[in-house]
Amino acid sequence: MTDIVIRSAVADDIPAIVAMLADDPLGATRESPDDMEPYLTAYERLRSDPNQFLMVAERDGTVVGTLQLTVVPGLSRRGSTRSIIEAVRVHSSERGQGLGRQLIEWAIEESRQQNCRLVQLTSDAARTDAHRFYEQLGFTGSHVGFKLPLNP
């Protein structure tokens, strides 16, 4: 078994990423792996934005993990830049082996390189295992999040 390589996603990775996004009870209700068009459109938007990092973890040429890191300049906290970690997924065959930790550590280090003063993430309230995982990595549940769905 070879080491993990964390790299920027390319268009050919999108089906594997979407499959991981859909591979749990919550994702299965939100994702549509049969239609790649909206995902490829979103990928092009992400690729053209220098504040977006769509990453994959690859083992032996196979995508086995992903996350998105967004760098957000701001005025609060004395003009601090922050980063937001989104859509962290690890292929079911790789779970429990430290890949999620590697992805988050990559995101934290990249956030430092981008001069961020804060790394934040949200996690669905139903993902209690994920909450324990993030707490083990030093994140604290310091805020309450709210969402408002907007219909197209």
Side-chain angles (χ1 to χ4, degrees), residues 44-61:
E44 289 302 323
R45 285 194 320 266
L46 293 169
R47 191 174 66 87
S48 67
D49 183 340
N51 289 318
Q52 301 293 333
F53 299 84
L54 180 61
M55 308 304 293
V56 294
E58 185 179 78
R59 183 188 303 277
D60 296 327

Side-chain angles (χ1 to χ4, degrees), residues 66-102:
T66 187
L67 66 69
Q68 179 180 336
L69 181 71
T70 301
V71 175
V72 182
L75 290 175
S76 67
R77 295 178 182 253
R78 301 181 57 127
S80 293
T81 298
R82 68 184 65 208
S83 65
I84 302 169
I85 299 172
E86 300 267 344
V88 179
R89 296 292 190 282
V90 172
H91 191 276
S92 59
S93 68
E94 295 279 333
R95 291 182 191 143
Q97 299 180 49
L99 178 55
R101 176 178 290 275
Q102 277 185 265

Side-chain angles (χ1 to χ4, degrees), residues 10-40:
V10 296
D12 287 345
D13 297 326
I14 300 306
I17 293 170
V18 173
M20 285 185 287
L21 293 173
D23 185 28
D24 68 35
L26 292 174
T29 65
R30 299 188 288 220
E31 307 303 337
S32 300
D34 297 333
D35 180 10
M36 286 294 116
E37 187 173 336
Y39 299 101
L40 291 169

